[in-house]
């Protein structure tokens, strides 16, 4: 917390006091401002993980671009996957303002040292998975990310505004895919329900561990990076899904799901946190495949990076000659 005792007040440097004042006033910290090392580190961790999630997150849907059931669906899916690449780039740019380079972040990802969202380690065997990803995964992303538009770090908060607008479109296209399937044949309805069954629990895990096992939450909330706890947002997400599931005609795969008037919360079955930990430690259904694909793409793109660097070198050489 930025609240301090009198003794601490005396010891605070002018820079620390200025930083605390920005946080207390709900204003924005900008790259030029002094900030505590731990604040900088936490932001680099969260923003780079978030950027990696967008980049790895292109793969499960990229898998369906060549097999989308119509030209219109294909065009929409391509646009969505391209949006995700764009989100990755805004986020990497925001992280770069904190002093880490894009190369360092990429290296951490392809070496397997960086985390990315657990959700992208699950397979996409049917077209209905495109609907379930849009509805559930983008839905969870919006719930988690709208409050990040008010994060205390300016470049992150501003990147999130545009990202959230695009995620809303993504969520609606997923909902519409599922709605179309649910209004189709019995086999299509079954395919939609099966996808919802497979993505529901992993989408709840996207919000992170329960509050009492979330080591970063308290400090991130004190710094106003996170505005709500993992469990609060998970509850909000369930509340959003319940009426939408009814409109779709799908069943959320939790027999214990019900609104509890006394607690003012949704009662649910226990989330399988062992599965979450397995996925985080690299042993999810698709972890190895996702990382290998990212490594291959990086190696295959080496010639593009070399050509761009050479072009930039020539441009700057020409500019210098023109000045001389
Ligand atoms: N997966 O103490 P906390 C998207 C890690 S983008 C993997 O609670 P924190 C768009 C956490 O990093 C989806 N790791 O941590 C899209 C920490 O590890 P560390 C990504 C997870 O940071 C849609 C440790 O566990 N969104 O979907 C996960 O306070 C469709 C302890 O956890 C963001 O990144 C997880 N699910 O809260 C793209 C949003 N949960 O670093 C394509 C921004 C936790 O200490 C298709 N991030 N961990 O070793 C956040 O809001 C936060 O970082 C949380 C975690 C809420 C994810």
């Amino acid at each position: 917390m930025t609240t301090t005792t009198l003794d601490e007040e005396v010891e605070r440097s002018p820079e620390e006091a200025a930083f605390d004042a920005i946080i207390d006033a709900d204003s924005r910290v900008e790259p030029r401002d002094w900030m505590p090392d731990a604040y900088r580190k936490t932001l680099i961790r969260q923003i780079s993980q978030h950027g990696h999630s967008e980049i790895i997150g292109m793969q499960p849907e990229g898998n369906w671009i060549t097999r989308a059931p119509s030209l219109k669906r294909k065009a929409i899916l391509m646009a969505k996957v391209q949006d995700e690449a764009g989100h990755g780039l805004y986020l990497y740019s925001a992280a770069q303002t904190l002093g880490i380079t894009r190369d360092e972040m990429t290296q951490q990802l392809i070496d397997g040292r960086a985390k990315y969202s657990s959700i992208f380690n699950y397979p996409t065997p049917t077209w209905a998975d495109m609907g379930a990803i849009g509805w559930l995964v983008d839905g969870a992303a919006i719930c988690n990310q709208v409050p990040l538009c008010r994060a205390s770090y300016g470049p992150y908060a501003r990147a999130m505004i545009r990202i959230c607008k695009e995620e809303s479109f993504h969520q609606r296209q997923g909902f519409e895919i599922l709605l179309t399937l649910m209004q189709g044949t019995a086999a299509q309805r079954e395919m939609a329900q099966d996808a919802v069954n497979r993505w529901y629990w992993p989408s709840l895990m996207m919000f992170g561990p329960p509050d009492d096992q979330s080591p970063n939450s308290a400090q991130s909330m004190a710094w106003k990076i996170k505005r709500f706890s993992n469990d609060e947002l998970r509850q909000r997400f369930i509340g959003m899904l319940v009426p939408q599931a009814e409109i779709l005609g799908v069943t959320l795969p939790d027999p214990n799901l019900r609104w509890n008037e006394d607690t003012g919360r949704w009662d649910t079955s226990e989330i399988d946190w062992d599965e979450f930990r397995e996925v985080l430690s690299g042993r999810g259904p698709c972890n190895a495949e996702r990382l290998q694909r990212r490594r291959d793409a990086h190696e295959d793109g080496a010639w593009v990076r070399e050509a761009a660097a050479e072009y930039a070198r020539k441009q700057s050489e020409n500019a210098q000659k023109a000045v001389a």
Side-chain angles (χ1 to χ4, degrees):
M1 288 295 254
T2 51
T3 320
T4 50
T5 64
L6 208 58
D7 286 349
E8 286 167 337
E9 190 74 54
V10 173
E11 285 168 20
R12 270 195 316 175
S13 66
E15 290 91 350
E16 280 170 298
F19 172 83
D20 289 351
I22 294 175
I23 302 292
D24 289 345
D26 236 334
S27 191
R28 295 275 191 270
V29 178
E30 295 298 337
R32 63 176 178 273
D33 294 329
W34 181 92
M35 62 189 86
D37 277 349
Y39 177 81
R40 186 184 296 277
K41 257 195 186 154
T42 266
L43 282 167
I44 290 178
R45 177 185 66 77
Q46 177 166 328
I47 302 173
S48 63
Q49 285 176 3
H50 193 167
H52 296 326
S53 304
E54 297 280 359
I55 297 299
I56 296 281
M58 296 164 74
Q59 292 187 29
E61 291 166 296
N63 182 32
W64 275 92
I65 289 176
T66 54
R67 293 177 291 159
S70 70
L71 183 60
K72 185 175 138 200
R73 292 289 185 202
K74 184 174 171 136
I76 295 170
L77 189 61
M78 276 173 68
K80 180 181 193 283
V81 174
Q82 282 173 357
D83 283 352
E84 282 148 14
H87 298 175
L89 299 187
Y90 312 150
L91 288 162
Y92 285 148
S93 299
Q96 280 174 269
T97 65
L98 291 154
I100 186 166
T101 67
R102 173 98 169 261
D103 282 349
E104 283 172 298
M105 288 184 274
T106 304
Q107 205 55 48
Q108 288 170 357
L109 176 63
I110 61 181
D111 287 352
R113 283 180 286 135
K115 286 197 173 79
Y116 59 86
S117 183
S118 50
I119 194 75
F120 302 116
N121 294 303
Y122 291 86
T124 46
T126 75
W127 170 250
D129 290 325
M130 300 305 97
I133 289 182
W135 182 45
L136 296 171
V137 178
D138 285 286
I142 294 167
C143 244
N144 165 262
Q145 293 173 21
V146 166
L148 291 174
C149 298
R150 293 190 294 118
S152 57
Y153 188 58
Y156 190 31
R158 288 190 288 274
M160 291 318 305
I161 293 172
R162 177 151 177 190
I163 291 177
C164 283
K165 284 185 186 160
E166 293 178 351
E167 301 290 23
S168 303
F169 157 73
H170 295 173
Q171 197 259 357
R172 275 174 237 163
Q173 70 84 41
F175 183 88
E176 202 261 337
I177 289 176
L178 290 180
L179 192 63
T180 306
L181 289 172
M182 289 305 290
Q183 290 168 350
T185 63
Q188 286 172 318
R189 284 197 294 278
E190 203 178 305
M191 186 165 75
Q193 181 63 56
D194 169 66
V196 170
N197 293 348
R198 285 182 290 105
W199 289 92
Y200 176 72
W201 290 105
S203 73
L204 295 187
M205 295 175 197
M206 286 175 70
F207 294 90
D211 292 351
D212 57 4
Q213 292 162 45
S214 164
N216 301 300
S217 277
Q219 183 59 75
S220 287
M221 286 175 74
W223 277 327
K224 298 182 181 168
I225 298 170
K226 284 169 88 161
R227 298 284 179 158
F228 299 97
S229 76
N230 299 354
D231 287 332
E232 280 172 317
L233 291 174
R234 200 171 359 252
Q235 280 279 320
R236 189 180 283 197
F237 178 55
I238 294 170
M240 188 182 102
L241 291 184
V242 168
Q244 294 182 1
E246 211 165 294
I247 296 168
L248 284 173
V250 296
T251 306
L252 295 174
D254 181 358
N256 296 314
L257 179 60
R258 65 183 59 85
W259 178 249
N260 185 328
E261 282 293 346
D262 298 335
T263 58
R265 293 172 65 83
W266 294 95
D267 287 340
T268 69
S269 305
E270 184 61 25
I271 293 177
D272 185 352
W273 292 114
D274 288 340
E275 174 182 319
F276 177 71
R277 280 186 286 271
E278 278 294 288
V279 174
L280 253 62
S281 51
R283 292 186 293 271
C286 300
N287 293 57
E289 179 188 329
R290 299 287 185 244
L291 261 192
Q292 192 52 49
R293 186 105 182 256
R294 183 68 197 85
R295 271 186 213 118
D296 292 346
H298 187 67
E299 279 164 27
D300 291 348
W303 68 272
V304 180
R305 292 190 297 280
E306 280 160 24
E310 183 55 18
Y311 179 74
R313 191 190 62 75
K314 279 191 185 149
Q315 290 286 94
S316 116
E317 205 175 84
N318 289 345
Q320 274 168 9
K321 272 187 204 150
V323 172

